[in-house]
Amino acid sequence: MSFIVAIDGPAGSGKGTIAKKIANKINAINIDTGAMFRCVALKALRENASVEDKDKIRKILNEIKIELKPNGKVFLDNEDVTTKIRTEEVSKYSSPISTIQEVRDKLLNLQRNMAVSQDVVMEGRDIGTVVFPNANVKIYLDATPEERAKRRILQNQEKGIDSNYKEVLEEIKQRDYRDMTREIAPLKKAEDAIYIDSTNLSIEEVSNKILEIIEKNKI
Ligand code: DC
C-alpha cells in the first residue's frame, strides 16, 4: 500500500511549496492537483469552451492528456504549459471549470491512479475529503486572506509583475468563496485533518510540523 499525504487549503496558503519540500524529504512524488484543473481550463479557453457547453467540455475531457513530470513540469497534450497555466486568465477560469462534475470525475480518476504504486504528497482542495478519505496523513493548511494576498504580491514582484494589494485581496476572497461554497467537492477541512495556520510561520516551520506528524503516523 502506498503512503498518502493529503494537503488541502486555499490559494496562497503555501501548499505548493510545502508539498514539494515534504515529498522530497520522504521520497514521495508530489502531485499538484490544481495544475490539472488549470490544464483543463487552458484547453477550454483555447477551444472557446464555455462552462455551460457540456458537449465541448466532454470532448475536451475525452481527448485531454495531462502529465505531471517529476521535475515539476506540466505537459498538456505533449506541450510544456508549466508557465502558461499560471496566468491570471487561467487562474480565474480554473475556478468555474473546477465546479463541473464531469471535470472532477475525470481528474479524480487520474489522481487516484497516480497513487496506486507510489507514495504521494497530493495537494489541492478536496484531497482529504474526496480523493483520498483514507489518506495516512491529512493536513489543512490555512493563512489569512491578507497574508495570502501579500505572498501573491511578492511572488508577482519576483516575476516582474506589479500588482495592486486591494485587487489581489479581493480576487483571493472571491476565489475562496467560490471554492468553499460550490456544491461539488467544496474546499473544507476533513474532520480528521490537522489544521495548520501558516500566517505567522516560515516555510521551514510548517514543513517541520508536517514532517513530525508524518513520522508519528509511519510508526
Ligand atoms: O491550487 P490552484 O490555485 O492551482 O487551483 C486552481 C483551481 O482549481 C482553484 O480555483 C481550485 C481548483 N481546484 C479544485 O477545485 N480542486 C483541487 N483538488 C485543486 C484545485
Side-chain angles (χ1 to χ4, degrees):
M1 272 290 279
S2 35
F3 192 86
I4 297 168
V5 179
I7 305 183
D8 290 302
S13 56
K15 291 183 313 277
T17 314
I18 301 290
K20 236 179 267 157
K21 255 182 150 354
I22 302 283
N24 258 334
K25 285 260 188 199
I26 66 166
N27 232 338
I29 59 157
N30 168 221
I31 298 166
D32 168 8
T33 59
M36 302 169 84
F37 286 93
R38 286 168 182 270
C39 281
V40 179
L42 177 60
K43 195 168 163 76
L45 278 169
R46 284 175 170 177
E47 299 190 14
N48 264 322
S50 76
V51 172
E52 289 77 35
D53 195 343
K54 291 287 166 352
D55 285 343
K56 237 181 190 173
I57 297 283
R58 242 173 254 132
K59 186 169 173 286
I60 285 174
L61 293 173
N62 280 333
E63 294 168 356
I64 200 165
K65 181 176 168 198
I66 300 171
E67 292 167 282
L68 304 181
K69 305 279 188 191
N71 62 3
K73 294 243 181 251
V74 181
F75 280 72
L76 166 63
D77 300 333
N78 302 318
E79 174 194 348
D80 183 352
V81 293
T82 314
T83 52
K84 290 177 192 145
I85 56 167
R86 302 286 157 195
T87 63
E88 256 337 286
E89 194 189 15
V90 175
S91 296
K92 279 208 179 115
Y93 204 45
S94 60
S95 184
I97 279 288
S98 67
T99 63
I100 303 172
Q101 181 76 62
E102 284 92 340
V103 172
R104 303 209 71 89
D105 289 347
K106 165 88 185 190
L107 297 188
L108 176 72
N109 228 342
L110 294 178
Q111 288 154 6
R112 285 193 177 149
N113 281 334
M114 284 170 170
V116 168
S117 55
Q118 45 201 353
D119 293 346
V120 298
V121 178
M122 194 174 282
E123 49 121 338
R125 304 292 191 286
D126 61 338
I127 312 306
T129 50
V130 177
V131 185
F132 291 114
N134 296 321
N136 302 76
V137 172
K138 291 186 193 178
I139 305 291
Y140 188 92
L141 193 57
D142 207 358
T144 61
E146 289 75 17
E147 172 64 20
R148 291 186 281 127
K150 276 190 219 151
R151 290 178 189 171
R152 168 68 54 77
I153 285 176
L154 277 178
Q155 271 175 358
N156 285 350
Q157 270 171 6
E158 281 163 18
K159 290 188 219 155
I161 306 166
D162 252 348
S163 38
N164 174 288
Y165 175 75
K166 268 197 173 156
E167 277 172 26
V168 172
L169 180 60
E170 196 43 45
E171 213 264 306
I172 281 182
K173 284 184 175 168
Q174 279 175 16
R175 199 131 80 92
D176 282 358
Y177 180 78
R178 274 199 306 264
D179 291 344
M180 288 172 178
T181 57
R182 69 177 176 225
E183 269 177 38
I184 319 160
L187 166 64
K188 65 168 188 230
K189 181 187 159 303
E191 262 178 39
D192 51 351
I194 295 169
Y195 182 90
I196 299 179
D197 182 351
S198 77
T199 306
N200 296 307
L201 298 178
S202 68
I203 291 167
E204 215 57 48
E205 286 170 320
V206 176
S207 39
N208 286 341
K209 254 183 199 276
I210 299 178
L211 285 168
E212 266 173 38
I213 297 166
I214 291 174
E215 264 321 298
K216 278 191 202 137
N217 279 275
K218 276 209 152 160
I219 300 163

